[in-house]
Amino acid sequence: VAPASAGTCWFQNYSGSLSPTYCSTYVRTNANGHRVIDVVDHEGTEMTMVFWTDSSVEILYTNGHYNGNRVVATWYYDDDGDRRIYIGDFEMSLRVS
């Protein structure tokens, strides 16, 4: 059973397809007035995402192997209404309720 605050994420696996997993998501407004999504993935990596209307997303890693790294990726809503994110050749999807 997923925790009450759990969202569903899909991460690219080694075969090139997406594997579903639970992740914690928290939507908030940051100090600049932007709506951001804090995510903790299935491995405990924490990241903050800001989705922009120009189809870009800024991802700031706040712990783990990529701690302190900022990445700009692209995104769109897929047919299920989930946010599909492309970081170079890596792909993930995020459902936020």
Side-chain angles (χ1 to χ4, degrees), residues 58-76:
E58 288 182 69
I59 303 169
L60 176 63
Y61 292 90
T62 55
N63 82 336
H65 180 72
Y66 299 106
N67 186 31
N69 286 344
R70 178 185 165 274
V71 175
V72 176
T74 59
W75 76 280
Y76 71 93

Side-chain angles (χ1 to χ4, degrees), residues 12-95:
Q12 185 170 330
N13 59 31
Y14 294 105
S15 69
S17 61
L18 297 179
S19 295
T21 186
Y22 288 105
C23 64
S24 172
T25 58
Y26 178 73
V27 179
R28 64 182 172 86
T29 301
N30 69 10
N32 296 328
H34 301 119
R35 183 174 183 256
V36 302
I37 301 171
D38 295 317
V39 178
V40 180
D41 74 11
H42 62 289
E43 295 177 336
T45 301
E46 298 175 13
M47 60 197 91
T48 296
M49 300 182 176
V50 181
F51 292 86
W52 301 106
T53 57
D54 68 353
S55 299
S56 67
V57 55
E58 288 182 69
I59 303 169
L60 176 63
Y61 292 90
T62 55
N63 82 336
H65 180 72
Y66 299 106
N67 186 31
N69 286 344
R70 178 185 165 274
V71 175
V72 176
T74 59
W75 76 280
Y76 71 93
Y77 285 111
D78 66 16
D79 291 341
D80 295 319
D82 301 323
R83 296 168 194 250
R84 186 70 59 103
I85 303 162
Y86 293 93
I87 307 167
D89 292 335
F90 178 77
E91 179 180 359
M92 67 179 280
S93 186
L94 175 67
R95 178 172 296 157

